[in-house]
Amino acid sequence: NAGVTQTPKFQVLKTGQSMTLQCAQDMNHNSMYWYRQDPGMGLRLIYYSASEGTTDKGEVPNGYNVSRLNKREFSLRLESAAPSQTSVYFCASSGSSTGASGKNIQYFGAGTRLSVL
Amino acid sequence: AQSVAQPEDQVNVAEGNPLTVKCTYSVSGNPYLFWYVQYPNRGLQFLLKYITGDNLVKGSYGFEAEFNKSQTSFHLKKPSALVSDSALYFCAVRDTDKLIFGTGTRLQVFP
């Protein structure tokens, strides 16, 4: 059982280049999330998808787009990368948001380390 | 808006001593609170959660957390620290269908 898988693990881009970060989960979870982690800032939510077919902005959505391709996959796209987007990106998933016992326990991928030069 | 605060950037403790990592929260309604741990070059791992019920919540790796409504706190504790507990710890609160994370506290356990 792989859990949450992110690709690639590392990426270096030049300013203005585009790329897509891939995320897939095999836990049949409804909800998926994209975060960025920067020193001293903790985790900040970029976008999330509460269920297949829906996406919503998080705290820091500017410069990013997402696609919930199906229930398993949730991709994050940088259309024109900027140095301020240098960060570690994490994808997470969680089960149904209803029901007390499993509410919002999120399972995380190993992360993508992105540098924009 | 829901929020959590972790007032300490780093906590240092000697192996075998008790440890506490602090978290305070601000919510409207009943809080759903979580602790996660992040080891180097890894994603976050769930440790424990408080939804309702007993104020002392037990979790993975011998950790526990005490929910205190009057002090709006949810501190993470362990009776006897291990060097292998050294990691980054995050407190989080549920906000509708997402989590809001604190800025993290780095725990260093010295031999």
Side-chain angles (χ1 to χ4, degrees), chain A residues 31 33 35 37 40-43 45 48 50 90 97 100-111 113, chain B residues 32 34 36 38 40-46 49 51 88 90 94-104:
Chain A
S31 303
Y33 309 83
Y35 296 90
Q37 183 178 23
M41 306 286 289
L43 268 76
L45 184 64
Y48 66 104
F90 288 100
S97 61
S101 62
K103 256 192 168 86
N104 285 113
I105 295 176
Q106 294 187 11
Y107 297 85
F108 283 77
R113 283 153 183 77
Chain B
Y32 288 7
F34 302 79
Y36 283 79
Q38 184 181 30
N41 300 313
R42 303 286 296 276
L44 276 68
Q45 296 177 32
F46 169 75
K49 68 182 188 293
I51 303 297
L88 190 56
F90 289 95
R94 187 174 77 98
D95 182 1
T96 56
D97 50 6
K98 56 188 183 293
L99 292 180
I100 307 298
F101 287 88
T103 52

Side-chain angles (χ1 to χ4, degrees), chain A residues 53-87:
Chain A
T54 68
T55 60
D56 287 284
K57 294 179 180 179
E59 181 185 355
V60 288
N62 291 346
Y64 305 95
N65 286 302
V66 290
S67 295
R68 183 75 183 265
L69 305 170
N70 47 55
K71 191 171 186 179
R72 290 187 66 249
E73 297 173 288
F74 188 40
S75 62
L76 178 72
R77 182 160 178 84
L78 286 69
E79 290 290 352
S80 179
S84 61
Q85 294 178 305
T86 294
S87 188

Side-chain angles (χ1 to χ4, degrees), chain B residues 14-90:
Chain B
E15 188 174 33
N17 284 0
L19 70 88
T20 299
V21 182
K22 295 179 181 177
C23 173
T24 58
Y25 65 87
S26 174
V27 302
S28 54
N30 294 322
Y32 288 7
L33 298 161
F34 302 79
W35 276 101
Y36 283 79
V37 60
Q38 184 181 30
Y39 297 103
N41 300 313
R42 303 286 296 276
L44 276 68
Q45 296 177 32
F46 169 75
L47 274 180
L48 51 82
K49 68 182 188 293
Y50 172 83
I51 303 297
T52 187
D54 290 340
N55 290 341
L56 187 63
V57 180
K58 294 190 183 298
S60 306
Y61 311 121
F63 283 93
E64 57 191 24
E66 186 173 9
F67 173 72
N68 188 316
K69 188 173 183 178
S70 63
Q71 297 185 4
T72 62
S73 66
F74 188 57
H75 300 333
L76 182 69
K77 300 183 179 185
K78 188 173 183 181
S80 179
L82 299 173
V83 172
S84 58
D85 292 329
S86 298
L88 190 56
Y89 290 81
F90 289 95

